[in-house]
Amino acid sequence: MKTDKNILVLTYWSFDDALIQTYTLPYLKIIADIIPKSSKLFLFTLEKKNVKTKNITTKIKNISARYYPFGLRAILAWLFNFIRLFLFIKKNKITYIHCWCTPAGAVGYILSVLTGAKLIIDSYEPHAEAMVENGEWSKHKLAYKILFMLEKKQSGRAAFIVAATSGMKNYALTKYGIKLMNYHVKPACVDLEKFSIKNKKNPELVKGYGFEDRVVCVYAGKFGGIYLKDEVFEFYRAAYEYWKDDFRILVLTNQDKSELLDLVKKYDVPESIFKIEFVKHAEIADYIGLGDFAICPVKPVPTKRYCTPIKNGEYWAMGLPVVITNDISDDSGLIEENGIGAVIHEFNNTSYLSVIKEIDRLLKENKMSELYSKIRPFAEKYRNFNIAKDVYQKIYKID
């Protein structure tokens, strides 16, 4: 007889956030296909306004709570949330608390201790230290001390750990003194059907943007926070000086356009070579496909060795050479060792020019179809959803 596996998935994001839509829901649908039909799967999200419980699929339901910025209201809200979630777990006979990232894992750890439900930490990577490295927290602040302590606690309690890179196993041993058991690696996977050669160089978009016979650098994401800002525009300036009017920049972001245009002026890059757009994720493949190469400007701080940039998988699936900073996940090494892009090792014009010349060489020596044939296999090998399916089958194997 198959035992029901009722799962509560905890996140710290809103339902409409891209991290839910592209980094969580696809995996939940895989899990829903693995667990018995009679099992239940609930996704917990934090919303800035009240949202009612809704069905995502016949097997997946979304429950939510109000989000409040850190402060007294947030503390009071979380006291209520713990009581509510404790009762929810008991009522729905939840057997697994599946947490996305360690902030949600901190909540999951406490609920696991209180209820006895098995704890699973997914997308396991350092958050407390990352906040310090990005300059948002200090190691002397209470927030850092609490989260770091809870990261250690959840690492020791988790029945299963799912990390983005193999290196997190050694990080946990070194930083937390925890020897992880039942450890799995699952990078950020990509829908290889939605990102493919059929999305390359859409003729209407190419003509509409005036990208004919231009070298187009595409970036999907934000500037600032965990990503570089000024350094990227220094790179854009160096690329413009190299390619002159043959160079174009396509930025796909929901960031304030005026903020980016201030950086364009600051670094004396012609505004005419920029196209800044916000595109729904359902359409983004056609826009990424306009690029000849892409950039992934994650800040090269130590904890980013353990992250997994979603955008690199999307770029690779489209056959784009990638410019990336040093020591990011396993990706920087793969890109440099296999000649499928270039790594920025230092933030100066000499380094930028070296990277630009390497990209120029790749574009001149290879047709678009040849680059696609060379780069696409890296997405198929390292970002395939079959990797996730294999991991979740081991965790939620049928009794």
Side-chain angles (χ1 to χ4, degrees):
M1 180 179 178
K2 295 177 181 178
T3 305
D4 283 347
K5 298 177 183 293
N6 298 328
I7 305 166
L8 173 61
V9 176
L10 297 179
T11 73
Y12 243 82
W13 309 310
S14 70
F15 184 79
D16 291 330
D17 195 305
L19 287 167
I20 292 289
Q21 296 299 314
T22 65
Y23 194 52
T24 308
L25 282 181
Y27 301 110
L28 297 194
K29 290 172 183 175
I30 290 172
I31 294 170
D33 287 338
I34 292 170
I35 58 179
K37 288 184 179 179
S38 56
S39 297
K40 302 172 186 176
L41 203 164
F42 301 94
L43 169 65
F44 176 82
T45 57
L46 289 173
E47 308 295 339
K48 291 185 177 179
K49 57 183 179 179
N50 286 320
V51 180
K52 294 181 179 179
T53 299
K54 58 187 173 185
N55 294 334
I56 300 169
T57 69
T58 54
K59 198 182 283 188
I60 307 172
K61 288 186 178 181
N62 173 218
I63 62 171
S64 63
R66 281 292 298 272
Y67 167 80
Y68 296 101
F70 185 75
L72 181 59
R73 289 184 75 185
I75 293 170
L76 293 174
W78 268 111
L79 289 173
F80 172 77
N81 288 338
F82 275 115
I83 296 170
R84 178 191 169 201
L85 289 171
F86 174 84
L87 295 174
F88 184 90
I89 289 166
K90 291 297 184 181
K91 179 182 177 181
N92 291 278
K93 298 179 180 178
I94 298 296
T95 48
Y96 293 86
I97 301 173
H98 192 132
C99 308
W100 240 264
C101 300
T102 59
V107 177
Y109 164 76
I110 295 169
L111 290 171
S112 174
V113 170
L114 293 174
T115 65
K118 287 186 178 179
L119 180 65
I120 296 169
I121 309 298
D122 206 325
S123 298
Y124 177 72
E125 61 182 80
H127 188 79
E129 280 208 337
M131 293 292 281
V132 172
E133 290 170 352
N134 289 327
E136 296 180 53
W137 286 0
S138 161
K139 281 196 173 184
H140 303 294
K141 295 292 184 181
L142 186 61
Y144 167 80
K145 292 178 180 179
I146 291 174
L147 182 55
F148 187 86
M149 180 268 290
L150 288 172
E151 284 179 347
K152 180 177 179 178
K153 292 285 188 182
Q154 64 190 269
S155 300
R157 183 174 178 83
F160 297 93
I161 294 279
V162 183
T165 66
S166 58
M168 267 306 291
K169 196 169 189 178
N170 186 60
Y171 179 94
L173 184 61
T174 303
K175 296 288 184 176
Y176 306 139
I178 302 291
K179 187 175 182 179
L180 298 175
M181 307 301 291
N182 294 322
Y183 182 84
H184 302 278
V185 176
K186 181 212 71 182
C189 301
V190 173
D191 189 329
L192 298 173
E193 292 294 320
K194 292 182 179 178
F195 292 83
S196 72
I197 198 165
K198 68 179 183 290
N199 305 103
K200 294 283 288 183
K201 298 292 182 180
N202 180 297
E204 287 186 18
L205 291 175
V206 169
K207 185 177 180 180
Y209 284 119
F211 285 167
E212 301 99 327
D213 302 318
R214 299 291 196 272
V215 175
V216 180
C217 173
V218 65
Y219 173 54
K222 295 182 178 181
F223 300 91
I226 68 169
Y227 300 103
L228 297 172
K229 184 167 62 174
D230 290 82
E231 295 87 348
V232 182
F233 284 82
E234 288 176 354
F235 174 83
Y236 287 154
R237 175 67 199 178
Y240 172 70
E241 289 176 349
Y242 183 83
W243 279 301
K244 302 298 183 185
D245 194 51
D246 289 336
F247 184 52
R248 293 291 184 270
I249 300 163
L250 176 61
V251 179
L252 306 172
T253 186
N254 62 358
Q255 200 162 350
D256 187 345
K257 191 172 182 178
S258 63
E259 180 185 345
L260 303 187
L261 291 178
D262 286 344
L263 287 164
V264 170
K265 292 176 183 176
K266 179 179 178 179
Y267 289 97
D268 196 25
V269 187
E271 187 177 328
S272 60
I273 72 170
F274 272 87
K275 299 295 179 183
I276 302 170
E277 300 284 1
F278 171 67
V279 179
K280 293 180 181 178
H281 196 267
E283 304 169 358
I284 203 166
D286 283 338
Y287 288 82
I288 289 177
L290 296 174
D292 295 291
F293 74 99
I295 187 166
C296 179
V298 178
K299 285 182 181 176
V301 296
T303 55
K304 291 307 166 189
R305 294 172 185 169
Y306 312 110
C307 74
T308 175
I310 301 173
K311 56 180 62 66
N312 286 344
E314 295 172 346
Y315 296 155
W316 290 343
M318 302 292 289
L320 296 181
V322 176
V323 172
I324 192 170
T325 43
N326 196 34
D327 285 334
I328 305 302
S329 188
D330 297 326
D331 296 359
S332 300
L334 283 171
I335 288 167
E336 193 160 51
E337 291 162 16
N338 293 281
I340 56 171
V343 176
I344 298 174
H345 289 280
E346 296 178 25
F347 300 113
N348 56 51
N349 283 330
T350 301
S351 179
Y352 298 147
L353 184 59
S354 175
V355 165
I356 291 161
K357 286 182 176 179
E358 175 60 15
I359 295 298
D360 192 42
R361 183 191 67 78
L362 283 170
L363 298 179
K364 285 178 177 176
E365 293 181 4
N366 298 274
K367 296 178 182 177
M368 184 180 76
S369 59
E370 291 171 333
L371 280 174
Y372 183 84
S373 296
K374 181 178 182 179
I375 298 172
R376 167 80 177 190
F378 287 87
E380 294 171 349
K381 182 176 181 180
Y382 296 105
R383 293 293 196 273
N384 198 313
F385 270 111
N386 287 333
I387 299 170
K389 190 177 296 184
D390 182 59
V391 168
Y392 294 133
Q393 281 176 337
K394 290 174 181 174
I395 293 173
Y396 293 111
K397 58 188 175 184
I398 302 299
D399 295 331

